[in-house]
Amino acid sequence: MKIRFAAAVLYALVLVLPGKADERGPENLALKAKASASSEYNGQYLARFAIDGVGPAQGGRNDVGHAWCVQGREAADKADFTLEWPEPVIVSELVYFGRTGWSTEECWKEYELYLNGNSTPVAKGQFATLHGPQRIKFPQATVT
């Protein structure tokens, strides 16, 4: 699954399968994926930190090692963020948590969501400037 953001900063990513929730909520399939990105700010803001299940507080300036950021100037404020699983998984929703540990204004950019290397996005839109989850629903699909 590939997610392309016009400007990419995030601290948590959750992928869920409908109907598989229990008292703890839906399973976070992102925890089982390998994350990579076309740009990473530095070793303290790697793509894999976006799927570690840790959500830093808003404005807490405590997201080192728990968020992903791009090299803004080098990446021209655009980046690809890719998740890959060793075995196929079924997904139908992505829950985005923008990086708000320093500034809420960093998480409002546009996005496009691509599955399995397809050239047509299954979803695209613009994130709101807010702290907390933002849901992207799309038709259920098996992805690797």
Side-chain angles (χ1 to χ4, degrees):
M1 169 180 279
K2 182 183 284 187
I3 304 163
R4 184 178 358 192
F5 295 96
V9 292
L10 64 140
Y11 74 76
L13 196 61
V14 178
L15 291 154
V16 299
L17 171 63
K20 291 292 281 183
D22 59 20
E23 65 278 351
R24 296 166 301 193
E27 180 181 9
N28 181 355
L29 298 174
L31 294 171
K32 297 178 178 181
K34 175 187 171 204
S36 61
S38 59
S39 176
E40 294 174 318
Y41 186 75
N42 63 26
Q44 295 180 322
Y45 292 100
L46 301 175
R48 67 183 169 93
F49 297 148
I51 60 169
D52 66 2
V54 176
Q58 180 178 9
R61 304 205 188 294
N62 62 346
D63 66 359
V64 172
H66 296 293
W68 166 61
C69 305
V70 301
Q71 277 288 351
R73 290 185 191 136
E74 291 175 20
D77 287 332
K78 295 181 182 183
D80 285 345
F81 184 89
T82 303
L83 295 177
E84 296 178 86
W85 288 266
E87 301 291 329
V89 295
I90 300 170
V91 294
S92 65
E93 181 175 3
L94 179 143
V95 183
Y96 167 84
F97 292 80
R99 179 180 178 241
T100 58
W102 291 84
S103 169
T104 305
E105 277 64 40
E106 290 188 343
C107 68
W108 62 268
K109 299 293 185 173
E110 296 139 352
Y111 66 86
E112 293 179 350
L113 175 65
Y114 297 84
L115 304 179
N116 295 323
N118 290 330
S119 60
T120 303
V122 295
K124 57 191 210 177
Q126 184 168 343
F127 293 117
T129 305
L130 58 86
H131 178 77
Q134 298 186 53
R135 299 170 82 172
I136 302 169
K137 294 185 179 190
F138 51 90
Q140 182 174 310
T142 300
V143 298
T144 52

